[in-house]
Every structure is written in C-alpha cells, then in structure tokens.
Amino acid sequence: MELKLSKKITKPDFQGEFTASILAAAASPDIISFAGGLPNPVSFPVEEMDAAVHKVMQEKGAVALQYSNTQGYQPLRAWIAKRYEVLGVNDVVADDIIITNGSQQALEMVGAALIDPGDKILVENPTYLVALQSFHLFDPEVIPVQINPDGIDCDKLQAAIDANPEAKFIYVIPNFQNPTGLTYSREVRERAAEIFKNSNLLVLEDNPYSELRFAGEGGKSFGYYLGEQCCMFGTFSKIVSPGMRIGWICCRNKELKAKLLSYKSTADLHTNIFCQMVLAQYLAAYDLDQHIEKTKVLYKQKAEFMMDCMRKYLPEGVTFTPTEGGMFLWAELPDGITAVDLYRAGLKRGVAICPGDPFYEYERNVRTFRINYSNSTDEAIETGMKVLGEVCSELMAK
Ligand SMILES: Cc1ncc(COP(=O)(O)O)c(C=O)c1O
C-alpha cells in the first residue's frame, strides 16, 4: 500500500515544526517560559462565566444546544459592533460582523476567500507567524514591509505598492504587534492610511491587543480612515478567554462578506453557539471595562517588572523596545549571536524565549527574539532573566 499523503507547499521550510518544538519545549513544567503568548489565567472571569452558563442553560438551553447560523449569534454581533466606537469607528452594525472560531480562523478564511496560488500579498516584517503560516496554505507570494518603532515604514510601504500594484491585500497589526509589541504612531497611521487610500489594496487589520493598553494613548483603527477598504479582525481571547475560541471579522464590503460566509459555512457551519451565547450573557450581565481594567493592572506590573529585570540582568549590547501594553517585548542580541543560539542555550538552563525567525518571511538566523510577560510569576521573571543574562554573557564571550 502506498498512501499519497504529500501536498505541495511552496514554502516547505515554513517552520511549522520549529514553532511546534519551541512551544512544546516551552510548555514543559520544568521550563520557565517566556516563549508562548498565553494570557494569565488569573484574569479569567471564572465565577461570572459559571453564572452565565447557568443562565443560558436555564433560559435558552435548547437554542444553545442546537445547530445555528453561520454569521453568528445576533446579540453578540450587536455588542461587538457597538464596541467599535472605542476604536473611533462609529458606523459598524451587527450585520457587518462574522463570528469566527478565534481570530485565527479569520486568517484562514481570508486566505481561502482571496488568495490564488502566486498572488502577491503584503505583510509587516516581522509579522504574526500564524498569519504567515495560514496565508502560506494558499501559496501566495509574500512581500514583507519593514516596521519601525513608530509603525510601518511608509516610504518602504509606498515602494512595495508601486513595485507590486497587483498585490491583493496587506495584513497589519497596528497595536502592540505580535511579535514586536510595537504600535503605530498617529503620524504613521495617517500617512499609511493615505497611502492605502491611493492603492487598490484591501487592508486586513488584526487587533487582539489594543484594549490591553496600560499607558499612553491609543490610535484610531484603519477602519476609521478607510471604511469598507479595511476589514477588521478581533478576538475575546486576550480580554476574556482564549479557550472559548470566539473572535470575529468586521467586514463592511458586502461582496467580501458573502465570500467569507460561504467559506465558513463549508468549513465549520458556525462557531460554537453555546460559547457565543454564554459570552453574550456574560457581556450583558457584567462590565467588561472593569474586567479589562483589572487585567491591565496585572499586565502593567508584569511588563514593568520584566523590563526592570531586563535592564538589570541582560548584558550591555542586548537591547529591547519598551512597551505600553499588549503581552510582548521585542529584544535584539548584539552582532555574532543569533536568537536560536540563545533559545538553545537558554533551554539547556531551563529558560525559553521565542526566537524571531518564524516571524520573518525570508530572514533566518536573526538576532531578534520575543519575550512574553503576561503569564509568568514575578519569581519566574526574575530567575529567568538572571539565567538569560548569564547565557547571553557566555555567548558574547565566545
Ligand atoms: C496578532 C494575532 N492575531 C491573531 C491571534 C489569534 O488569536 P485567537 O485565535 O485566539 O483569537 C493572535 C494570538 O496570539 C495574535 O497575536
């Protein structure tokens, strides 16, 4: 018997295994892990959700256990539409929202709906590795555009669009980007919005982290500047619970919305209706802002403690960009040491970081790496950073 299990993927080194091995190693209980991207479970509203489950089962149990519609539970979509006012987008209605199985499903859905093999798409460089992996399932040519500490490099963006006028979309994460933690400044947002307006690009804005801002002031969504040219992804994973797997796409372009719904109805019919109803009940009964406030206090303390420890324990030459929110810090090693060197040596000493490599389309053996601070105790942060500092010094002395 010879099973034919191969499938052509143009980018075979796409690091699925590398990423899986990092996450597996990092999940071991003996490892202090700054490699993953988990919210802190202390922030989960367990009792409130318990009450919401009971209420849904008592009042609408049969609906919650039945098949449902593809677009998602209307009260939940209405709640999300209203929430867009926080981002300066006031004209979103429930009908623009499609509930997805986490925002990760949104990435796959747009890939399936839009990418033909060989199509050009633009992304930030670096960008969220799962977005790269999802898009690569459909064999695009990915064109990375550099991001700077104040957001996407607008000169390079314009040059990339000029050189690739046929590109279909750009995928951006303007707030506390994963992996870099960077946020677009107002100037960059406005300039990039002008550039997009003058292009034929659909703008896919992924925004899991903007509500986790614990200092400074946030900016407006590209949806504010661009209307239906911008499709916005969101998620409850970082502000309520990742396990419920509830995300969404806000799509104001009717043609694209129909394509996305058609794909989703084939892929999974609908997102778990029980979870959608429980979440909608939770949002109706409790003040989400109060809940997010508590999470922000926790993450601010974690971020500041992590940054203090990095300043204290990492040797001179290792740099990082401070952050005002989200869950990640982005650091860079001096010339001559790669992030994979640090990952391997750190792991031997029981501490995991996430090397930058899988977040880049082309670059390998990079010196940048990602540090997650949301899900470690202070003790683990201090011990882990001390060890990483020693490991960096040893690698630098070689
Ligand atoms: C930028 C970005 N997009 C999407 C996701 C996926 O989130 P979820 O599928 O849990 O909604 C994440 C998760 O870490 C992320 O960082």
Side-chain angles (χ1 to χ4, degrees):
M1 185 171 61
E2 201 177 321
L3 302 178
K4 295 174 189 58
L5 300 177
S6 68
K7 175 177 182 323
K8 181 173 161 285
I9 297 179
T10 313
K11 205 155 164 76
D13 88 312
F14 212 69
Q15 307 195 354
E17 265 174 49
F18 178 64
T19 314
S21 76
I22 289 176
L23 295 179
S28 150
D30 309 327
I31 299 287
I32 293 178
S33 178
F34 306 135
L38 270 52
N40 197 311
V42 169
S43 72
F44 298 154
V46 177
E47 281 170 25
E48 294 87 338
M49 216 48 94
D50 186 35
V53 169
H54 278 88
K55 181 118 174 129
V56 167
M57 289 321 278
Q58 277 157 14
E59 293 181 2
K60 298 174 203 143
V63 182
L65 296 176
Q66 184 56 284
Y67 282 119
S68 188
N69 73 76
T70 302
Q71 191 166 347
Y73 187 52
Q74 202 280 343
L76 182 60
R77 289 189 286 111
W79 189 96
I80 293 166
K82 177 104 182 72
R83 189 78 179 174
Y84 268 103
E85 288 172 12
V86 175
L87 289 165
V89 195
N90 296 326
D91 57 350
V92 175
V93 294
D95 197 43
D96 299 328
I97 308 292
I98 303 172
I99 305 291
T100 56
N101 194 32
S103 53
Q104 181 158 335
Q105 187 183 35
L107 299 170
E108 193 208 338
M109 281 166 66
V110 293
L114 294 173
I115 301 173
D116 291 316
D119 272 353
K120 292 183 175 180
I121 62 169
L122 273 57
V123 300
E124 295 159 338
N125 194 39
T127 189
Y128 179 43
L129 70 100
V130 177
L132 283 178
Q133 288 168 342
S134 299
F135 299 150
H136 272 295
L137 292 174
F138 306 97
D139 256 352
E141 181 184 336
V142 175
I143 298 159
V145 182
Q146 183 179 316
I147 57 168
N148 300 324
D150 60 352
I152 198 157
D153 187 309
C154 286
D155 292 335
K156 297 208 160 95
L157 172 63
Q158 185 64 67
I161 294 173
D162 291 344
N164 303 283
E166 72 280 38
K168 260 192 175 152
F169 66 74
I170 182 164
Y171 168 75
V172 293
I173 314 165
N175 306 299
F176 307 123
Q177 200 237 25
N178 187 356
T180 62
L182 296 176
T183 290
Y184 289 31
S185 69
R186 187 165 152 199
E187 293 70 34
V188 170
R189 264 173 224 264
E190 288 176 356
R191 198 169 154 216
E194 271 313 299
I195 295 172
F196 293 144
K197 258 190 212 162
N198 293 320
S199 77
N200 295 319
L201 282 178
L202 174 71
V203 176
L204 304 177
E205 178 185 83
D206 194 3
N207 187 30
Y209 302 108
S210 70
E211 301 240 27
L212 295 178
R213 171 175 285 283
F214 44 69
E217 243 184 66
K220 290 200 165 73
S221 160
F222 280 116
Y224 165 80
Y225 300 101
L226 300 175
E228 69 171 59
Q229 189 187 355
C230 176
C231 193
M232 299 173 280
F233 305 160
T235 179
F236 287 98
S237 288
K238 318 295 175 177
I239 50 174
V240 179
S241 149
M244 294 181 89
R245 307 304 300 129
I246 309 272
W248 68 88
I249 303 178
C250 173
C251 180
R252 289 175 288 171
N253 179 292
K254 302 289 175 236
E255 189 185 338
L256 178 58
K257 192 182 118 191
K259 280 187 189 191
L260 294 169
L261 281 172
S262 161
Y263 175 74
K264 183 167 167 69
S265 71
T266 313
D268 65 359
L269 190 56
H270 63 78
T271 299
N272 182 323
I273 183 62
F274 172 74
C275 281
Q276 292 187 65
M277 290 176 71
V278 169
L279 181 57
Q281 171 57 35
Y282 164 79
L283 294 168
Y286 300 94
D287 181 350
L288 183 67
D289 289 316
Q290 255 179 32
H291 173 71
I292 294 178
E293 213 39 58
K294 280 191 272 170
T295 309
K296 286 200 292 193
V297 169
L298 177 69
Y299 287 6
K300 179 173 196 280
Q301 182 272 327
K302 296 275 171 225
E304 284 172 356
F305 190 61
M306 181 66 93
M307 290 191 276
D308 286 348
C309 288
M310 289 171 87
R311 287 185 194 104
K312 188 163 162 195
Y313 296 117
L314 294 180
E316 207 169 305
V318 184
T319 56
F320 69 93
T321 318
T323 189
E324 297 185 329
M327 295 180 10
F328 303 109
L329 286 158
W330 189 237
E332 184 160 6
L333 295 160
D335 266 344
I337 313 173
T338 70
V340 172
D341 293 338
L342 177 61
Y343 164 70
R344 294 211 170 104
L347 204 56
K348 279 193 197 143
R349 300 269 308 268
V351 183
I353 52 109
C354 187
D357 300 56
F359 301 96
Y360 295 90
E361 173 70 5
Y362 296 113
E363 289 96 319
R364 295 293 173 262
N365 300 314
V366 299
R367 291 184 283 116
T368 42
F369 62 98
R370 190 188 73 178
I371 294 282
N372 168 249
Y373 55 77
S374 55
N375 191 29
S376 297
T377 61
D378 289 0
E379 196 191 0
I381 289 176
E382 178 137 33
T383 311
M385 260 314 139
K386 231 185 232 174
V387 169
L388 284 180
E390 287 164 15
V391 172
C392 284
S393 298
E394 283 160 22
L395 291 169
M396 285 161 74
K398 272 191 188 162

